[in-house]
Amino acid sequence: MMAVTGEIHADEPGFRLSFDEVYDTDPDDLWEAVTTPERLARWMAAYRGDFRPGGRWQALTRDGEVYCDGEVVSCDRPNGFTTTWTVVGEAPTLLTVRLEPQGARTRLSLQHEHVTRPDYGPGWHTYLESLAWHLADPAAPKDRARWDARFEELEPGYAARLAALTR
């Protein structure tokens, strides 16, 4: 199992999630995996839009409906990006991803600010593990059952950590 590390911090509003993982690939490949719709669909979700500063994008549900959208605030290929992240019916949040070479590998740091839903913790954790599964076999289709099982395994721990933070 990977060593994805996830931290939860108080934020206004809600909380801030920070994740860190080192992947067995170079920055250019990891950049492609986290920014191109063709690759995102294999480990995360279907995306459409324009990934450049000021560009807008949408993530789609399994049924093809818009789940969330955002606007790219900054984009520095292959070092990272910041984008707004607005789930339909919710307040906007801010997502920042940074990539840093680590020898033949690449460290990905993800920070999601102003999060108010507890499922984001186990969700991002599972997605970052799914990214590793994708990088190990880029042509493989997304394994929804594996994702769902891992999310359910992680969810109670994140819920307990969030409850402790908000006491």
Side-chain angles (χ1 to χ4, degrees):
M1 186 55 55
M2 290 183 46
V4 170
T5 56
E7 297 179 11
I8 305 171
H9 308 276
D11 198 6
E12 282 300 322
F15 53 98
R16 174 173 40 93
L17 295 165
S18 298
F19 290 92
D20 195 54
E21 180 54 85
V22 178
Y23 293 95
D24 291 323
T25 193
D26 62 72
D28 289 320
D29 183 54
L30 191 53
W31 177 266
E32 290 294 318
V34 300
T35 62
T36 61
E38 304 78 42
R39 296 213 34 207
L40 282 162
R42 289 190 223 133
W43 67 271
M44 191 176 187
Y47 279 82
R48 64 183 176 212
D50 191 9
F51 201 81
R52 60 172 176 74
R56 297 201 59 82
W57 56 267
Q58 294 177 321
L60 309 176
T61 66
R62 294 176 185 182
D63 298 327
E65 300 295 319
V66 174
Y67 170 72
C68 73
D69 65 15
E71 182 176 340
V72 179
V73 176
S74 67
C75 184
D76 179 22
R77 175 191 181 118
N79 302 309
F81 63 87
T82 299
T83 183
T84 60
W85 179 281
T86 308
V87 172
V88 173
E90 296 183 15
T93 61
L94 191 66
L95 179 71
T96 301
V97 173
R98 295 284 169 249
L99 305 180
E100 179 185 343
Q102 302 274 289
R105 304 173 80 205
T106 304
R107 177 176 305 281
L108 181 147
S109 300
L110 180 150
Q111 181 169 277
H112 200 155
E113 300 172 67
H114 316 303
V115 173
T116 56
R117 285 198 358 226
D119 60 338
Y120 276 66
W124 277 120
H125 192 131
T126 306
Y127 279 126
L128 293 175
E129 288 182 2
S130 295
L131 174 56
W133 305 334
H134 164 69
L135 292 168
D137 186 3
K142 184 163 66 172
D143 186 339
R144 295 184 197 283
R146 183 180 187 184
W147 193 96
D148 291 343
R150 184 62 175 144
F151 178 91
E152 287 185 29
E153 181 182 333
L154 290 167
E155 195 278 331
Y158 274 92
R161 290 168 59 197
L162 185 57
L165 179 70
T166 58
R167 278 195 197 118

